[in-house]
Each structure stands twice: as structure tokens, then as C-alpha cells.
């Protein structure tokens, strides 16, 4: 079977009500491109019947390719599987909850046709999201921008178009704790942003609770920066510097005026402060070591229970079939 021009990747985790609308809107939009396309739906261990719905769509329309995971592996891994299975000349990553309006794909495609290899969608406005989510997201993007070595564009999610060249490079990057927007920036090539208004979720609730958001943030920071490790060094220098200043001060005070040092509280504070700094530093190092350990284990990134039966070039995949 010939490879289609466009591959659309949508990760699915309990999105039953969104699936039919997602499919029909993508079908409508992709029809306007007058090119062949495939829609890769990755079921990331759904428990609400999305899995059957995905299979059903696959039977209804042969352009829909179901990839069914053996369990929940997380959003970033699901998208990675989508990239692995995609065959299009251009690959579009989109959320299944219709927060990324499929109609924007046409704008992404237009830029791709102009010769850009990464076209990312920039969120101009975000509808229907809590104040908390918007604020933490805005802070997160700015923090990442400051402390990482890769200048990841602000206010962009994973909604983007990637040229086949970029996808091939990204498929070779098999790191476990993934932050795809960082990786897509890191590869280089000709990149450009397209603004869009992020809609409210069509149905259901966010699948990114605070815990998953923090995990993603940690992956982004540790994946692209040594800043946290350097913080430990800075704190060490500050603590050592302070003691170098205070030692002579104390000696001189003691010799000249013999003041009464009520030392207990001071000692306790110093011990607690240094203990705290040391434990935090250990924790930071631990985060990095844990990640090294995960890489060394070399487990597959994901396990598929069912995959489309097209002949894929599986050289870059580490999935046991
Ligand atoms: N998702 C997934 N696995 C997960 C969590 C989320 O595949 O463990 C999918 C989800 O179905 C959706 C996309 O990732 O298509 C983005 O999730 P969500 O809309 O809940 O995130 P938010 O927009 O609230 O940041
Ligand atoms: Mg969403």
C-alpha cells in the first residue's frame, strides 16, 4: 500500500465522546487538501470503551489506523508510537479532545507547502480552562525557556506539523522521559509558528492532573538542562562563602568584647539549613540518576497489543511484536 501524503496522530485516553466528532472533523478538513491521508489513533490504555470505538472506526474507514497499547503509557509515549507508525510526508500531531481545532491543520499544511519543516501551533487564546491551568502553563513555558538550552517557542503544545525528515530524526531519539516539543525544537530545520485559538474541551475532563503536569515539567527540565544540578553548586558556594565571612567576625568579636553568644538556636538553624540544602541536592541528583537507570534498563518505550497490519519500516522501533 502506498504511503499517504499526510499522517494525523491523535493519542486517546478515555475520549469516547470525542472520537466520532474528531474523526468526522478530520475527514472533512483533510478532504479539502485533496491528498491521501491516514489517521493514527493510539489507544493509551483507555477504560471507557474508546478502544472498541477506535477498532470500529478502523473497520469503517481503512484510513483510520488503530494502535492499541497494552496499558497506559502516557501522552508523550502515545504520540511517539504515532510517529513510529506514521508514513506520511508530513505528520500532524493533534489532541483528541478537539482543543486543537482540526481546521487549523490547513494553516499548518499551507506553511509546510511553503517549505517549512516544523510548523508549530501557538496558542493565542485559551478558552474554557481554569485560571490555575492557564497560569501554571504560562509560568511553565517561561521557566523552561529560561533554564533550558533549547529555545522552545512559548505557548506551544504538541499540536504541530512535522516533515518526514524531522519525524525520521525524532524516531531515532529513543529517550524514555520525553518532552516532544523540546525534541522537535532541538532537531533544528526550518521552523515557524502559526497562531490559533485553543478551544475548550469538546467533552470529558482533562487527562492531565497536576501530578502528570509536574512529571512532564520535570521531564522537560531534566531532559534539556543541567540547571537544577548547578543550583546545588551555587547553594554550596553561598553557604561556604557565608561561613568564610562569619568565622573571622566571630573570632574578632570574641577577642575584643567577649559577648555572650546564645548559640543553641543559631547552631540549630545552621544545621537545619545545611541539612535541607544537602537533602534537596541529593534529591536533584537522584532525579537524574533515576533517569539514567531507566535509560540503562533499555526497556521498550511502549508495548502494543494491536497494531495496523501495514508493512512498516520497523528499524527504528524497539517494540517486541
Ligand atoms: N492522553 C493520553 N494519555 C494520557 C493522558 C492524556 O493519551 O495518559 C491524551 C488525551 O486523550 C488527549 C491528549 O493526550 O488526546 C491531551 O490530554 P488532555 O486534553 O487531557 O490534556 P490538556 O489539554 O488538559 O493539557
Ligand atoms: Mg486537552
Amino acid at each position: 500500500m502506498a504511503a499517504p501524503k499526510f499522517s494525523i496522530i491523535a493519542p486517546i485516553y478515555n475520549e469516547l465522546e470525542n472520537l466520532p466528532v474528531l474523526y468526522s472533523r478530520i475527514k472533512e478538513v483533510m478532504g479539502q487538501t485533496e491528498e491521501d491521508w491516514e489517521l493514527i489513533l493510539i489507544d493509551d490504555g483507555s477504560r471507557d470503551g474508546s478502544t472498541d470505538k477506535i477498532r470500529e472506526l478502523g473497520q469503517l474507514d481503512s484510513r483510520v489506523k488503530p494502535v492499541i497499547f497494552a496499558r497506559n503509557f502516557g501522552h508523550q509515549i502515545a504520540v511517539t508510537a504515532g510517529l513510529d507508525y506514521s508514513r506520511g510526508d508530513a505528520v500532524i500531531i493533534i489532541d483528541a479532545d478537539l482543543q486543537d481545532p482540526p481546521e487549523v491543520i490547513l494553516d499548518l499544511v499551507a506553511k509546510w507547502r511553503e517549505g517549512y519543516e516544523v510548523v508549530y501551533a501557538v496558542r493565542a487564546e485559551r478558552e474554557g480552562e481554569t485560571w490555575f491551568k492557564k497560569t501554571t502553563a504560562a509560568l511553565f513555558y517561561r521557566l523552561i525557556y529560561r533554564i533550558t538550552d533549547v529555545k522552545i517557542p512559548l505557548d506551544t503544545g504538541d499540536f504541530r506539523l512535522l516533515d518526514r525528515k524531522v519525524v525520521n530524526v525524532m524516531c531515532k531519539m529513543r529517550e524514555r522521559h520525553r518532552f516532544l516539543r523540546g525534541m522537535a525544537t532541538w532537531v533544528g530545520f526550518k521552523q515557524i509558528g502559526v497562531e490559533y485559538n485553543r478551544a475548550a474541551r469538546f467533552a470529558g475532563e482533562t487527562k492531565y492532573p497536576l501530578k502528570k503536569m509536574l512529571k512532564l515539567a520535570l521531564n522537560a527540565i531534566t531532559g534539556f538542562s543541567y540547571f537544577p544540578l548547578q543550583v546545588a553548586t551555587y547553594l554550596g558556594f553561598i553557604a561556604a562563602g557565608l561561613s568564610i565571612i562569619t568565622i573571622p567576625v566571630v573570632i574578632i568579636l570574641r577577642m575584643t568584647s567577649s559577648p555572650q553568644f546564645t548559640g543553641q538556636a543559631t547552631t540549630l538553624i545552621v544545621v537545619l539549613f545545611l541539612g535541607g540544602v544537602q537533602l534537596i541536592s541529593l534529591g536533584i541528583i537522584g532525579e537524574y540518576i533515576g533517569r539514567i537507570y531507566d535509560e540503562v534498563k533499555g526497556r521498550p518505550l511502549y508495548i502494543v497489543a494491536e497494531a495496523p497490519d501495514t508493512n512498516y519500516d520497523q528499524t527504528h522501533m524497539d517494540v517486541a511484536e
Side-chain angles (χ1 to χ4, degrees):
M1 206 161 64
K5 190 86 166 173
F6 298 112
S7 301
I8 298 113
I9 298 176
I12 313 285
Y13 181 53
N14 300 340
E15 306 281 8
L16 186 58
E17 291 138 279
N18 292 319
L19 274 167
V21 192
L22 177 75
Y23 166 69
S24 60
R25 272 174 71 181
I26 285 186
K27 192 165 90 170
E28 161 74 25
V29 168
M30 293 319 286
Q32 294 175 39
T33 65
E34 294 178 352
E35 300 275 9
D36 284 348
W37 53 276
E38 63 180 357
L39 171 61
I40 303 177
L41 297 175
I42 304 97
D43 174 42
D44 187 15
S46 299
R47 277 162 301 179
D48 69 339
S50 296
T51 317
D52 284 334
K53 188 78 207 167
I54 293 171
R55 286 194 191 107
E56 196 183 295
L57 287 172
Q59 270 152 17
L60 191 85
D61 186 337
S62 61
R63 293 171 296 191
V64 177
K65 315 273 186 210
V67 176
I68 317 262
F69 275 4
R71 64 165 168 86
N72 178 258
F73 280 91
H75 170 222
Q76 299 285 301
I77 300 287
V79 174
T80 304
L83 292 176
D84 288 343
Y85 282 99
S86 72
R87 296 171 304 146
D89 295 337
V91 178
I92 297 119
I93 303 170
I94 193 166
D95 277 359
D97 58 358
L98 298 159
Q99 280 197 285
D100 308 331
E103 293 69 30
V104 178
I105 294 178
L106 295 175
D107 301 337
L108 304 182
V109 166
K111 285 288 173 202
W112 177 67
R113 288 194 165 128
E114 281 174 28
Y116 291 96
E117 285 136 334
V118 175
V119 190
Y120 49 85
V122 185
R123 300 160 179 181
E125 270 176 50
R126 298 171 76 124
E127 287 165 26
E129 279 182 307
T130 60
W131 171 88
F132 180 75
K133 177 104 186 182
K134 279 194 238 184
T135 318
T136 48
L139 279 175
F140 167 67
Y141 291 126
R142 275 142 196 92
L143 174 77
I144 300 289
Y145 193 85
R146 289 204 68 154
I147 70 169
T148 59
D149 314 327
V150 197
K151 291 298 158 220
I152 302 162
L154 294 172
D155 303 316
T156 59
D158 288 311
F159 185 27
R160 59 184 65 217
L161 178 148
L162 305 171
D163 185 84
R164 171 54 41 198
K165 274 181 270 183
V166 178
V167 175
N168 285 348
V169 178
M170 285 180 64
C171 284
K172 291 204 183 97
M173 298 160 70
R174 303 313 285 178
E175 60 213 64
R176 247 130 271 274
H177 300 275
R178 303 168 82 76
F179 186 59
L180 291 164
R181 319 162 203 180
M183 292 164 65
T185 309
W186 182 85
V187 296
F189 291 104
K190 274 170 73 184
Q191 310 220 356
I192 196 167
V194 167
E195 286 209 340
Y196 80 111
N197 289 337
R198 189 155 164 89
R201 235 177 191 278
F202 181 74
E205 293 178 354
T206 174
K207 308 296 178 312
Y208 257 96
L210 188 61
K211 204 174 142 202
K212 278 191 182 170
M213 272 162 60
L214 284 175
K215 210 172 141 191
L216 184 71
L218 262 181
N219 287 347
I221 296 168
T222 54
F224 292 93
S225 159
Y226 297 126
F227 180 75
L229 290 171
Q230 290 160 343
V231 168
T233 319
Y234 299 147
L235 285 175
F237 275 114
I238 293 170
L242 278 177
S243 61
I244 286 169
I245 298 167
T246 44
I247 290 166
V249 172
V250 171
I251 293 174
I252 291 165
L253 279 180
R254 186 78 180 87
M255 292 198 322
T256 52
S257 60
S258 67
Q260 295 295 313
F261 281 111
T262 43
Q264 289 244 15
T266 328
T267 316
L268 204 64
I269 288 168
V270 170
V271 169
L272 283 179
F273 174 74
L274 275 183
V277 167
Q278 282 169 353
L279 286 177
I280 292 169
S281 310
L282 265 182
I284 293 172
I285 299 172
E287 280 293 334
Y288 282 86
I289 294 184
R291 283 166 165 73
I292 300 172
Y293 183 46
D294 281 343
E295 293 298 341
V296 172
K297 276 190 280 190
R299 293 187 183 162
L301 287 185
Y302 52 83
I303 300 161
V304 281
E306 284 167 50
D309 50 7
T310 345
N311 281 326
Y312 287 95
D313 166 20
Q314 293 200 330
T315 44
H316 56 266
M317 290 194 213
D318 47 9
V319 174
E321 297 264 3

